[in-house]
Amino acid sequence: MNHSAPTLLLQDVLIRHQAPGGALGFELAIEEFSITRGEALALVGPSGSGKSTLLDLLALARRPSSTGRFLLTPRTGKAIDLGAVWHAGDDNSLTAIRATHFGYVLQTGGLLPFLSVRRNIALGQAVLGRPDPAHIEALAARLEIASLLERMPATLSVGQRQRVAIARALAHRPEILLADEPTASVHPALADTILALLIEQAREQDTALILATHDPDRAARHGFAILPIRTEAGNAGAGRSWLNRARAAA
């Protein structure tokens, strides 16, 4: 394993959305992007700039239109050429890589309504066949949701659901933690609590953390490095966004 290699490295990766009638629609061009374990980045940009699209791409939930380099270097083992896996159409490998190496906190929480809080948090562990109830209990205690473990998602507040989603994303100890506007629907005090918990847990688990936010000042106060997405408006809904972060790729 190369300990100096970034956990994720993307170069010349493009996502293109076609407009109705086949015209060119929105494009997101990642010229270069890299992040290493223990780093915390906050993606900022106007609505529609591609923040959620980028997170979906990084989470292997959205197919790139073209790739130069798209590499994942896990804690152990060889680097994985994600571009080649996408090109081969190997959905089974993509699913396994996603389940093993990534945690994703969706904007809406994304909890399964028919599972208890405990079983929602344990879902990633169950998929990997690596049950770790002690880790779930520890996460629940740190996130102040230990008393909620036997409840159902519908009985929780928005803030409680977000903390459960964070615990679920961290429970299988992912290489990369992604969070899409996790504070958008909570009051400012709880927003501070959520950001502090995200960055604390990511650093404790030596995880690369990438957050999409409309509140860069708050993210910066909690220790996130701010990474803007540049945008250029087009006609009839067309537009282009760029991302370039080359610092960690050396």
Coordinates of all heavy atoms in Angstrom, one line a residue, residues 207-248:
T207 N -10.8 8.8 8.2 CA -11.7 8.8 7.0 C -11.6 10.1 6.3 O -11.5 11.2 6.9 CB -13.2 8.6 7.5 OG1 -13.2 7.3 8.1 CG2 -14.1 8.6 6.3
A208 N -11.6 10.0 4.9 CA -11.7 11.2 4.1 C -13.2 11.7 4.1 O -14.1 10.9 3.9 CB -11.3 10.9 2.7
L209 N -13.4 13.0 4.4 CA -14.7 13.5 4.6 C -15.0 14.6 3.6 O -14.2 15.6 3.4 CB -14.9 14.1 6.0 CG -16.1 14.9 6.3 CD1 -17.4 14.1 6.1 CD2 -16.1 15.4 7.8
I210 N -16.1 14.5 2.8 CA -16.5 15.5 1.8 C -17.9 15.9 2.0 O -18.8 15.0 2.0 CB -16.3 14.9 0.4 CG1 -14.9 14.4 0.2 CG2 -16.6 16.0 -0.7 CD1 -14.7 13.5 -1.1
L211 N -18.1 17.2 2.2 CA -19.4 17.7 2.6 C -19.9 18.7 1.5 O -19.1 19.5 1.0 CB -19.3 18.4 3.9 CG -20.5 19.3 4.4 CD1 -21.5 18.4 5.2 CD2 -20.0 20.4 5.4
A212 N -21.1 18.7 1.1 CA -21.7 19.7 0.3 C -22.5 20.6 1.2 O -23.3 20.2 2.0 CB -22.6 19.1 -0.8
T213 N -22.3 21.9 1.0 CA -23.0 22.9 1.9 C -23.2 24.2 1.2 O -22.5 24.6 0.3 CB -22.1 23.1 3.2 OG1 -22.8 24.0 4.1 CG2 -20.8 23.7 2.9
H214 N -24.3 24.9 1.7 CA -24.5 26.3 1.3 C -24.0 27.3 2.4 O -24.3 28.5 2.3 CB -26.0 26.5 1.1 CG -26.5 26.0 -0.2 ND1 -26.1 26.5 -1.4 CD2 -27.3 25.0 -0.5 CE1 -26.7 25.9 -2.4 NE2 -27.4 24.9 -1.9
D215 N -23.4 26.7 3.4 CA -22.9 27.6 4.6 C -21.4 27.4 4.8 O -21.0 26.8 5.8 CB -23.7 27.1 5.8 CG -23.6 28.1 7.0 OD1 -22.7 29.1 6.9 OD2 -24.3 28.0 8.0
P216 N -20.6 27.9 3.9 CA -19.2 27.7 4.0 C -18.5 28.3 5.2 O -17.6 27.8 5.8 CB -18.6 28.4 2.7 CG -19.7 29.4 2.3 CD -21.0 28.7 2.7
D217 N -19.1 29.4 5.7 CA -18.5 30.1 6.9 C -18.6 29.1 8.1 O -17.7 29.0 8.9 CB -19.2 31.4 7.2 CG -18.9 32.5 6.2 OD1 -17.9 32.3 5.5 OD2 -19.7 33.4 6.1
R218 N -19.8 28.5 8.3 CA -20.0 27.5 9.4 C -19.0 26.3 9.2 O -18.4 25.9 10.2 CB -21.4 27.1 9.4 CG -21.8 26.2 10.7 CD -23.2 25.8 10.6 NE -24.2 26.9 10.6 CZ -24.6 27.6 11.6 NH1 -24.2 27.3 12.8 NH2 -25.4 28.6 11.4
A219 N -18.9 25.8 8.0 CA -18.1 24.7 7.7 C -16.6 25.0 8.0 O -15.9 24.3 8.7 CB -18.2 24.2 6.3
A220 N -16.2 26.2 7.6 CA -14.8 26.6 7.9 C -14.5 26.8 9.4 O -13.4 26.4 9.8 CB -14.5 28.0 7.2
R221 N -15.5 27.2 10.1 CA -15.3 27.3 11.6 C -15.0 26.0 12.2 O -14.4 25.9 13.3 CB -16.5 28.0 12.2 CG -16.6 29.5 11.9 CD -17.5 30.2 13.0 NE -18.9 29.6 13.0 CZ -19.9 30.0 12.2 NH1 -19.7 31.0 11.3 NH2 -21.1 29.5 12.3
H222 N -15.6 24.9 11.6 CA -15.4 23.6 12.2 C -14.2 22.9 11.6 O -14.0 21.7 11.9 CB -16.7 22.8 11.9 CG -17.8 23.2 12.8 ND1 -17.9 22.7 14.1 CD2 -18.8 24.0 12.6 CE1 -19.0 23.3 14.7 NE2 -19.6 24.1 13.8
G223 N -13.4 23.5 10.8 CA -12.2 22.9 10.3 C -12.2 22.3 8.9 O -11.2 21.7 8.5
F224 N -13.3 22.6 8.2 CA -13.4 22.1 6.8 C -12.6 23.0 5.9 O -12.7 24.3 6.0 CB -14.8 22.0 6.3 CG -15.6 20.9 6.8 CD1 -16.2 21.1 8.1 CD2 -15.8 19.8 6.1 CE1 -17.0 20.0 8.6 CE2 -16.6 18.7 6.7 CZ -17.2 18.9 7.9
A225 N -11.8 22.5 4.9 CA -11.2 23.3 3.9 C -12.3 23.5 2.8 O -13.1 22.6 2.5 CB -10.1 22.5 3.2
I226 N -12.4 24.7 2.3 CA -13.5 25.1 1.4 C -13.0 24.9 0.0 O -11.9 25.4 -0.4 CB -13.9 26.6 1.6 CG1 -14.3 26.8 3.1 CG2 -15.0 27.0 0.7 CD1 -15.4 25.9 3.6
L227 N -13.8 24.2 -0.8 CA -13.5 23.9 -2.2 C -14.7 24.4 -3.1 O -15.7 23.7 -3.1 CB -13.3 22.4 -2.4 CG -12.9 21.9 -3.8 CD1 -11.6 22.6 -4.2 CD2 -12.8 20.4 -3.8
P228 N -14.5 25.5 -3.8 CA -15.6 26.0 -4.6 C -15.7 25.3 -5.9 O -14.7 24.8 -6.5 CB -15.2 27.5 -4.9 CG -13.7 27.5 -4.7 CD -13.3 26.4 -3.7
I229 N -16.9 25.1 -6.4 CA -17.2 24.7 -7.8 C -17.4 25.9 -8.6 O -18.3 26.7 -8.3 CB -18.4 23.7 -7.8 CG1 -18.1 22.4 -7.0 CG2 -18.8 23.3 -9.2 CD1 -19.2 21.4 -7.0
R230 N -16.7 26.1 -9.7 CA -16.8 27.2 -10.6 C -17.9 26.9 -11.6 O -18.1 25.8 -12.0 CB -15.5 27.5 -11.3 CG -14.4 27.9 -10.5 CD -13.1 28.1 -11.3 NE -12.6 26.8 -11.7 CZ -12.0 26.6 -12.9 NH1 -12.0 27.6 -13.8 NH2 -11.6 25.4 -13.3
T231 N -18.7 27.9 -11.9 CA -19.9 27.7 -12.8 C -19.9 28.7 -13.9 O -19.3 29.8 -13.8 CB -21.2 27.8 -12.0 OG1 -21.3 29.2 -11.5 CG2 -21.3 26.8 -10.9
E232 N -20.5 28.3 -15.0 CA -20.7 29.2 -16.2 C -22.1 28.9 -16.7 O -22.4 27.8 -17.1 CB -19.7 28.9 -17.3 CG -19.9 29.7 -18.5 CD -18.9 29.4 -19.6 OE1 -19.2 28.4 -20.4 OE2 -17.8 30.0 -19.6
A233 N -23.0 29.9 -16.7 CA -24.4 29.7 -17.1 C -24.4 29.6 -18.6 O -23.6 30.2 -19.3 CB -25.2 30.9 -16.6
G234 N -25.4 28.9 -19.1 CA -25.6 28.7 -20.5 C -27.0 29.1 -20.9 O -27.8 29.7 -20.1
N235 N -27.4 28.8 -22.1 CA -28.8 29.1 -22.6 C -29.7 27.9 -22.4 O -29.3 26.7 -22.4 CB -28.8 29.4 -24.1 CG -28.0 30.7 -24.3 OD1 -28.0 31.6 -23.5 ND2 -27.2 30.7 -25.4
A236 N -31.0 28.1 -22.1 CA -32.0 27.1 -22.1 C -31.7 26.0 -21.1 O -31.8 24.8 -21.3 CB -32.3 26.5 -23.5
G237 N -31.1 26.4 -19.9 CA -30.8 25.4 -18.9 C -29.5 24.8 -19.0 O -29.1 24.0 -18.1
A238 N -28.8 25.1 -20.1 CA -27.4 24.5 -20.2 C -26.5 25.2 -19.3 O -26.7 26.4 -18.9 CB -27.0 24.6 -21.7
G239 N -25.4 24.6 -19.0 CA -24.4 25.2 -18.1 C -23.2 24.3 -17.9 O -23.3 23.1 -18.3
R240 N -22.2 24.8 -17.3 CA -21.0 24.0 -17.1 C -20.4 24.4 -15.8 O -20.3 25.6 -15.4 CB -19.9 24.3 -18.2 CG -18.7 23.4 -18.1 CD -17.8 23.7 -19.3 NE -16.5 23.0 -19.2 CZ -16.2 21.8 -19.7 NH1 -17.2 21.1 -20.2 NH2 -15.0 21.3 -19.5
S241 N -19.9 23.4 -15.0 CA -19.2 23.6 -13.8 C -17.9 22.9 -13.8 O -17.7 21.9 -14.5 CB -20.0 23.1 -12.6 OG -21.2 23.8 -12.4
W242 N -16.9 23.5 -13.1 CA -15.6 22.9 -13.1 C -15.2 22.7 -11.6 O -15.5 23.5 -10.7 CB -14.5 23.8 -13.7 CG -14.6 24.1 -15.1 CD1 -14.0 23.4 -16.1 CD2 -15.3 25.1 -15.8 NE1 -14.3 23.9 -17.4 CE2 -15.1 25.0 -17.2 CE3 -16.2 26.1 -15.4 CZ2 -15.7 25.8 -18.1 CZ3 -16.8 26.9 -16.3 CH2 -16.5 26.8 -17.7
L243 N -14.3 21.7 -11.4 CA -13.7 21.5 -10.1 C -12.3 21.1 -10.3 O -11.9 20.3 -11.2 CB -14.4 20.3 -9.4 CG -13.9 20.0 -8.0 CD1 -14.4 21.1 -7.0 CD2 -14.4 18.7 -7.5
N244 N -11.4 21.8 -9.5 CA -10.0 21.5 -9.6 C -9.4 21.6 -8.2 O -9.4 22.7 -7.6 CB -9.3 22.5 -10.6 CG -7.9 22.0 -11.0 OD1 -7.1 21.5 -10.1 ND2 -7.6 22.2 -12.2
R245 N -8.8 20.5 -7.7 CA -8.1 20.5 -6.5 C -7.0 19.5 -6.6 O -7.1 18.3 -6.5 CB -9.0 20.1 -5.3 CG -8.3 20.2 -4.0 CD -8.9 19.5 -2.9 NE -8.4 19.9 -1.6 CZ -7.9 19.0 -0.7 NH1 -7.8 17.7 -0.9 NH2 -7.4 19.5 0.5
A246 N -5.8 20.0 -6.9 CA -4.7 19.2 -7.2 C -3.7 19.0 -6.1 O -2.8 18.2 -6.2 CB -4.0 19.7 -8.5
R247 N -3.9 19.7 -5.0 CA -2.9 19.8 -4.0 C -2.4 18.5 -3.5 O -1.2 18.2 -3.3 CB -3.4 20.6 -2.8 CG -2.3 20.9 -1.7 CD -2.9 21.5 -0.5 NE -3.9 20.6 0.1 CZ -3.7 19.5 0.8 NH1 -2.4 19.2 1.1 NH2 -4.6 18.8 1.4
A248 N -3.3 17.6 -3.2 CA -2.9 16.3 -2.5 C -2.5 15.2 -3.5 O -2.3 14.1 -3.1 CB -4.1 15.8 -1.7

